[in-house]
Amino acid sequence: MKILALLICFDLLRINSALISIDRRHFFIAATATAGDWRSYTALAPLGTVVLNTEKLPGLSLERMADRLLHDITKGANDKGGYLVTGDLDPRIFEDTARFVDPTNDVASLSRYRKALSLLFDPDIGQTVQLIEGPTINSEARSISAKLHVSEGILKALPWRPHIRPFDTNITWILSNDGLVQQQSQVWSISAQDALLQTFSLPVFSKK
């Protein structure tokens, strides 16, 4: 019975998820994959065509960029909540072809990344992103980095609404010669395997 229930969950995930491209065969292969292979099995599903944003804010100093990024990632560009859980970032400070890398995904499109984030988490839970350390500016590398804490949340993209436990992330933004973010990279306090397994959990708390 347990095996049957697990297989049903796999089918629901494959059929209903708008974001996670994975089937039963991929899951069992991924279970033995190395850390570098995980993104092949947890890549975001197609999220529409790339949308270009013609209005940009090039030439900002590293200090001003750090202030803007810190605001957006903890509060949101429009104060809708940290953009890691809401997608509420200012597209004017990112390249449209910016690359977003974390342990489970590698996306080279600002518009698709924002859409994915807006669809992932339940906004009614009150999930937060809090600064732990930073931001730290490296002028030579044209990078900005910080350590953040992401509180628990509910993954609304899946029909059984799995519970996502709190985790920390070390994030680095690399700026182009124009002063826009061309790459964002994250290293989590949890493994890619743990993150994937959490998508098979069930909600453990009620909405606030």
Side-chain angles (χ1 to χ4, degrees):
M1 291 299 292
K2 290 183 178 180
I3 295 176
L4 177 59
L6 186 57
L7 292 178
I8 292 173
C9 284
F10 288 142
D11 282 335
L12 286 171
L13 179 61
R14 177 170 53 84
I15 295 170
N16 293 292
S17 174
L19 300 173
I20 300 175
S21 175
I22 186 171
D23 59 24
R24 285 172 290 180
R25 178 176 60 86
H26 283 165
F27 180 82
F28 287 115
I29 296 173
T32 59
T34 63
D37 295 330
W38 275 98
R39 297 186 191 96
S40 299
Y41 305 103
T42 56
L44 297 177
L47 290 166
T49 58
V50 174
V51 178
L52 300 181
N53 184 73
T54 56
E55 184 182 0
K56 298 294 179 181
L57 293 175
L60 296 179
S61 67
L62 286 169
E63 290 75 17
R64 289 188 64 189
M65 281 293 289
D67 289 342
R68 283 178 170 270
L69 288 167
L70 181 60
H71 177 272
D72 288 9
I73 205 165
T74 57
K75 300 180 184 302
N78 301 291
D79 295 323
K80 295 180 180 179
Y83 77 72
L84 287 181
V85 295
T86 64
D88 183 25
L89 57 77
D90 186 349
R92 298 177 300 171
I93 61 175
F94 288 81
E95 298 278 5
D96 288 327
T97 56
R99 183 181 177 192
F100 299 87
V101 183
D102 65 39
T104 61
N105 281 288
D106 189 338
V107 181
S109 166
L110 173 61
S111 62
R112 289 174 176 169
Y113 177 71
R114 294 179 71 196
K115 183 174 181 180
L117 293 178
S118 69
L119 295 173
L120 275 175
F121 296 102
D122 186 342
D124 295 334
I125 296 301
Q127 193 173 13
T128 61
V129 180
Q130 298 175 319
L131 180 68
I132 299 176
E133 296 177 6
T136 300
I137 295 173
N138 185 326
S139 299
E140 183 176 350
R142 295 188 58 78
S143 68
I144 301 167
S145 59
K147 184 175 183 179
L148 302 147
H149 176 77
V150 182
S151 67
E152 62 184 343
I154 292 292
L155 201 61
K156 69 177 182 180
L158 298 176
W160 56 92
R161 296 169 54 80
H163 171 248
I164 304 302
R165 297 192 300 271
F167 66 95
D168 294 341
T169 179
N170 288 286
I171 188 166
T172 299
W173 298 277
I174 298 176
L175 276 56
S176 67
N177 291 333
D178 292 330
L180 303 175
V181 176
Q182 66 180 8
Q183 180 169 316
Q184 171 186 294
S185 301
Q186 292 187 69
V187 177
W188 295 343
S189 60
I190 59 174
S191 67
Q193 182 182 24
D194 187 17
L196 178 59
L197 290 176
Q198 286 186 46
T199 65
F200 293 94
S201 67
L202 295 175
V204 296
F205 59 86
S206 301
K207 294 183 180 181
K208 296 179 180 179

